[in-house]
Amino acid sequence: MRSSTPGRDRHRSSGPRVVHGSNLAEALHCAAREARRRLNAVAAAAYLVDEHEGALRLALADGSAPSFFTFPGRMALDVPSATARAWATGKAAVLVDPDPAGRDQKHVLPYPYAALSAPIAAGDRRFGSLTVLRVDTGGAFQPAEMLTLEGIGSQLAEALAGLVEHGVSVAAGPVPMLVPPEEEVDTSVCTPGWGVRDVPGSSGTSMMFPLRRLAELLNRATTMDDVVAAAQYCVMSSLRAEALVLVAAREGRLWVLGHSGDSMELARTLHGAGVDDQTPAAAAFHGRPLYLTEDRTSLLGTVSSGETRTEAYLPLRGDGQFVDLPFADRSRVVAVCCLAFSGPRRFPSEERVLLGMMAGLLGAAVERVELSAEQREAAQLLQRFLLPRRLPDLSRLVTTARYRPADVTSKVGGDWYDVFKIADDRAVLVIGDVEGHAVESAAVMGQVRTAMASYAMEGHHPTAMIDRTGRVLACLGTALTVTCCVVALDTLGGTAEVALAGHPAPLVRRRDGTIVALDAPANVPLGVPMIQPYEGREHTLESGSILMLYTNGLVASRSASPETCARELLGSGDDLEDLADRIVSEVSTPQQRRDDAALLLARYEGARHQDEPRVAGLHIQRRDLRGVKAARAFVHDQLGSWGLQEMSDVVELAASEIVTNALIHAGSDVDLRLRAFEDHLRMEVRDSDTNPPIPSSLSLTEEEAPEAEHGRGMLIVEALVDEWTSYPNGLGKTVALNLAIPQN
């Protein structure tokens, strides 16, 4: 039985054929097929010059999948590829590797093919180039083979010149013509596990399924976890790898973006390694894939005697290419995909092509997701700085606020809240919503908030604050509109003056549980031309009333009217912090979180509470090594001044644990706040990390431990206090705990 040679049809041509054809497609196909057969190639392509674009465009490719998918669809005339050089010089050209592997190197050509090109030229007419690909194990192209391809190119040029004389346009179409071989091109004899054995084309066609599926999943990926999950399903599983790790290079070191499978040891070894270290992963950032298939001690360094791990390191380029030309810009390598296999493994040519295409898709997805994350983080950082870091302490008025970013938009919005202490007996509460979910929304929010603060501190009434802020907005040149609600409260008499600018009216829950709206004329949003002056309305609050200001993000997606939904959320409960947590937690489904939301609650305690509240705070700078000690001293001194010395030991220990977590894991400034009520003490610790602390068991798996390390101290806190909670505050999170005050 006759054996098949890779890249060779079962029937060879016995001699040169004349390239002919009555139309362009037939002529190109005839030449490509002849070139592929006679040069023992796996694929051949005809490129035609586009003088208008100054480029060579792929007109037709003949061969098998996945080989003919490696041909670029377009290439500039001045790139040093074999195809472009053949067109420019009028002579056959071979793709030469300018960076060959040294003796101690294991990297290989990005695609497992050697390329030979010849001009499609006759006389002084140059139509393009004819290029063939041959598996790199087939040996170098010989001078006789170059002459053969030049002869086929000349015959094709004569055929194309004849078509031109008959008025046929010789130009590449908008989409290249792909022609599978009429008989088997056997490049799959060394590719077990793909397709049906002995069925021509089954192996290469089967490889297209995980590639297409990977493209589909990556197109929907919005986070790095999505990218890793897609790679695990389509790359790791398809090639039967046991571990996958994605690493990026930043500030001279490798950082793990994500990993899957039995990858913990590999991820630990790679994370934090230097980019100049002599490791395969670092070498892959030079732009070349590495396939380590020999018996050797792997990067892990812990392979047991007699056991071998095969590893592949694939550079991922941000432009979606797999460095298919050796002169490509290596600075575009954004990450490296590391694959580990159990035992020795070979990588046949078709698998290397498949991995190259997958690497191109992964590179583009990694860059897109990382860029999106950077933009979102920058916008959120801007938003954090624009929201108040803490609310002022007021006599006879207790306040709390929550800000919840959107989940299904860019997570950047223009909702904000503010509380201003104008005098000991006067406070102004503001909440608002800037149109849109973009950086511009956050920027406009900051400008509007600044204007509101200025007019409030000058003593203007709510209607004047809205009117003047609207005039400022008109001068900013933005097309965005702003809705807002302003409440000025006299804490001695309980008088509340309300003014609206297209915003929902605030709600108040009285001591008997009834909920009413503090109605006022709706007016028009800021940014909309006024027809008549803004109007407000005055109300009187009774002692014990709870005031609720909110934005549409809390209620807009519900089926009932916004005010009805808000009334349901306000519900029952006297503790403002618990009430705020419950309101935000009830708005948790994706449909309900398409918009960001702000909530501002205030409990009016009435004129009977004439004493100033027992409130104190401490600000700790980031990376302050003495911060924890300062926090313990602050708690000890403050509780002593309030006559609560018996609570000091417990509160000091809880404060030191929470502050330590904040300084280490948030890496930001930390605010510690104490407030003593009649029956309980409340402590709050605020930082910029939005991830909540989770009490973590001491018996964790190796992979869970790094993620939960910051939760160790919370086990102690949980055992010490009556209750504790964590909630987002717009700047990060607040960890709060309550302890009952001993009654004498």
Side-chain angles (χ1 to χ4, degrees):
M1 184 174 180
R2 187 177 180 181
S3 63
S4 178
T5 303
R8 187 187 302 270
D9 285 331
R10 289 177 179 170
H11 298 285
R12 293 281 309 277
S13 171
S14 58
R17 295 182 182 177
V18 177
V19 176
H20 59 84
S22 58
N23 57 53
L24 178 61
E26 185 179 349
L28 295 176
H29 179 215
C30 181
R33 179 183 59 195
E34 182 71 8
R36 176 177 55 78
R37 286 177 170 179
R38 296 187 58 192
L39 278 83
N40 193 27
V42 295
Y47 282 86
L48 297 179
V49 67
D50 186 328
E51 298 284 1
H52 178 69
E53 292 187 3
L56 290 164
R57 295 176 54 200
L58 179 62
L60 179 141
D62 178 278
S64 61
S67 61
F68 56 22
F69 289 114
T70 64
F71 286 115
R74 177 186 179 277
M75 63 178 68
L77 298 176
D78 57 352
V79 297
S81 66
T83 303
R85 283 190 288 117
W87 178 85
T89 63
K91 299 179 180 179
V94 178
L95 181 62
V96 178
D97 184 6
D99 183 23
R103 291 182 178 180
D104 59 343
Q105 293 177 302
K106 300 294 182 180
H107 73 241
V108 295
L109 283 170
Y111 284 129
Y113 302 127
L116 173 65
S117 297
I120 304 174
D124 58 351
R125 303 191 67 172
R126 294 182 298 171
F127 292 97
S129 296
L130 186 63
T131 301
V132 294
L133 300 179
R134 188 162 68 191
V135 177
D136 57 5
T137 57
F141 289 104
Q142 300 301 313
E145 292 176 311
M146 298 182 184
L147 291 175
T148 297
L149 190 61
E150 287 180 345
I152 297 174
S154 295
Q155 294 179 40
L156 175 58
E158 293 174 0
L160 297 182
L163 293 176
V164 172
E165 292 178 358
H166 288 83
V168 177
S169 174
V170 176
V175 178
M177 297 175 283
L178 302 182
V179 183
E182 69 280 4
E183 297 183 16
E184 180 182 2
V185 175
D186 189 6
T187 61
S188 60
V189 293
C190 296
T191 315
W194 295 99
V196 179
R197 187 175 181 180
D198 298 329
V199 175
S202 178
S203 173
T205 303
S206 298
M207 290 181 177
M208 293 299 100
F209 180 82
L211 182 68
R212 181 187 179 281
R213 184 61 175 155
L214 179 65
E216 180 182 343
L217 293 176
L218 292 179
N219 189 50
R220 299 200 301 260
T222 58
T223 67
M224 197 58 65
D225 288 342
D226 295 338
V227 175
V228 173
Q232 188 276 331
Y233 176 64
C234 300
V235 182
M236 178 179 156
S237 297
S238 298
L239 281 94
R240 299 172 178 82
E242 64 176 17
L244 177 145
V245 180
L246 296 181
V247 294
R250 299 191 188 96
E251 298 178 353
R253 295 199 172 274
L254 303 182
W255 303 106
V256 172
L257 301 176
H259 57 97
S260 183
D262 185 16
S263 57
M264 193 63 192
E265 198 167 4
L266 179 59
R268 183 185 295 109
T269 305
L270 292 171
H271 194 64
V275 295
D276 296 325
D277 293 350
Q278 297 299 313
T279 61
F285 274 96
H286 293 163
R288 290 305 193 81
L290 287 86
Y291 299 96
L292 310 182
T293 59
E294 299 177 1
D295 287 343
R296 59 187 291 274
T297 301
S298 75
L299 175 64
L300 302 181
T302 58
V303 178
S304 60
S305 177
E307 184 180 352
T308 302
R309 265 177 81 109
T310 302
E311 296 159 3
Y313 298 87
L314 312 175
L316 310 183
R317 286 170 53 86
D319 55 10
Q321 298 182 20
F322 189 60
V323 201
D324 56 344
L325 298 174
F327 49 80
D329 180 10
R330 294 174 181 175
S331 64
R332 299 292 293 147
V333 177
V334 297
V336 167
C337 176
C338 312
L339 296 170
F341 303 83
S342 177
R345 191 189 196 286
R346 297 183 61 197
F347 294 92
S349 59
E350 284 186 321
E351 280 192 346
R352 284 161 57 187
V353 172
L354 176 64
L355 283 171
M357 295 177 176
M358 288 178 164
L361 295 175
L362 285 170
V366 166
E367 183 176 57
R368 172 175 53 81
V369 168
E370 289 219 291
L371 179 61
S372 177
E374 290 174 2
Q375 292 174 339
R376 184 165 57 247
E377 179 62 27
Q380 288 181 340
L381 183 62
L382 169 64
Q383 198 166 38
R384 290 192 189 108
F385 279 112
L386 293 177
L387 288 172
R389 186 167 186 84
R390 56 174 294 180
L391 300 180
D393 299 318
L394 303 164
S395 60
R396 298 172 291 278
L397 189 68
V398 181
T399 60
T400 190
R402 300 288 186 272
Y403 174 79
R404 189 218 62 214
D407 275 353
V408 285
T409 63
S410 63
K411 294 188 177 181
V412 180
D415 289 16
W416 90 95
Y417 57 85
D418 248 324
V419 177
F420 305 110
K421 181 179 180 180
I422 308 304
D424 290 342
D425 59 351
R426 182 173 172 81
V428 176
L429 286 67
V430 180
I431 200 163
D433 184 359
V434 180
E435 176 188 9
H437 302 91
V439 175
E440 183 184 2
S441 300
V444 171
M445 177 265 283
Q447 293 169 310
V448 170
R449 177 175 175 251
T450 300
M452 283 280 188
S454 299
Y455 296 131
M457 299 307 294
E458 288 178 358
H460 293 282
H461 290 279
T463 52
M465 290 173 56
I466 292 176
D467 177 73
R468 296 186 178 217
T469 302
R471 298 176 189 275
V472 171
L473 183 65
C475 297
L476 296 179
T478 178
L480 299 180
T481 59
V482 181
T483 67
C484 64
C485 168
V486 181
V487 178
L489 180 62
D490 179 355
T491 59
L492 283 177
T495 302
E497 185 180 353
V498 180
L500 306 175
H503 200 86
L507 300 179
V508 62
R509 192 181 75 205
R510 295 169 176 163
R511 281 184 298 175
D512 60 5
T514 59
I515 299 175
V516 297
L518 299 185
D519 292 323
N523 299 313
V524 296
L526 305 181
V528 176
M530 292 186 302
I531 300 177
Q532 55 188 8
Y534 286 101
E535 298 179 1
R537 188 165 298 170
E538 193 174 280
H539 299 266
T540 301
L541 301 182
E542 62 181 28
S543 176
S545 297
I546 294 180
L547 190 63
M548 174 179 170
L549 286 71
Y550 61 95
T551 60
N552 279 331
L554 286 178
V555 296
S557 58
R558 300 188 172 210
S559 57
S561 67
E563 183 176 323
T564 301
C565 295
R567 288 172 181 266
E568 295 174 356
L569 291 172
L570 186 54
S572 60
D574 293 329
D575 187 279
L576 287 190
E577 304 295 343
D578 292 341
L579 179 59
D581 289 341
R582 180 177 60 78
I583 290 175
V584 173
S585 66
E586 288 187 11
V587 188
S588 58
T589 66
Q591 288 296 322
Q592 292 172 332
R593 302 188 66 165
R594 291 186 177 276
D595 192 7
D596 59 333
L599 171 69
L600 179 59
L601 297 178
R603 183 176 65 246
Y604 174 54
E605 297 182 337
R608 66 185 181 194
H609 296 277
Q610 297 294 332
D611 297 333
E612 288 295 319
R614 294 185 292 177
V615 179
L618 173 69
H619 181 75
I620 303 172
Q621 296 286 342
R622 62 183 304 186
R623 300 190 181 95
D624 185 352
L625 300 179
R626 298 169 298 177
V628 176
K629 181 179 179 181
R632 295 180 70 103
F634 164 75
V635 171
H636 181 274
D637 295 343
Q638 199 61 56
L639 293 184
S641 68
W642 292 341
L644 301 175
Q645 297 91 334
E646 66 271 25
M647 302 180 66
S648 183
D649 290 342
V650 171
V651 181
E652 282 183 52
L653 181 56
S656 66
E657 293 295 339
I658 301 176
V659 169
T660 298
N661 281 340
L663 288 172
I664 293 176
H665 298 284
S668 67
D669 290 1
V670 177
D671 284 309
L672 173 62
R673 185 171 183 250
L674 293 174
R675 179 161 186 151
F677 295 87
E678 293 181 357
D679 59 346
H680 71 280
L681 175 75
R682 183 177 182 85
M683 182 178 75
E684 298 176 353
V685 179
R686 304 173 183 176
D687 60 56
S688 65
D689 186 10
T690 57
N691 294 319
I694 302 173
S696 305
S697 170
L698 296 178
S699 57
L700 290 170
T701 65
E702 190 175 27
E703 188 162 355
E704 291 170 337
E707 295 296 329
E709 189 66 32
H710 68 287
R712 308 292 194 200
M714 296 310 297
L715 285 175
I716 300 174
V717 174
E718 196 168 57
L720 291 174
V721 304
D722 300 319
E723 59 178 328
W724 72 275
T725 185
S726 173
Y727 54 86
N729 58 25
L731 302 172
K733 70 172 179 297
T734 297
V735 178
L737 55 86
N738 295 317
L739 296 96
I741 295 178
Q743 301 297 320
N744 296 327

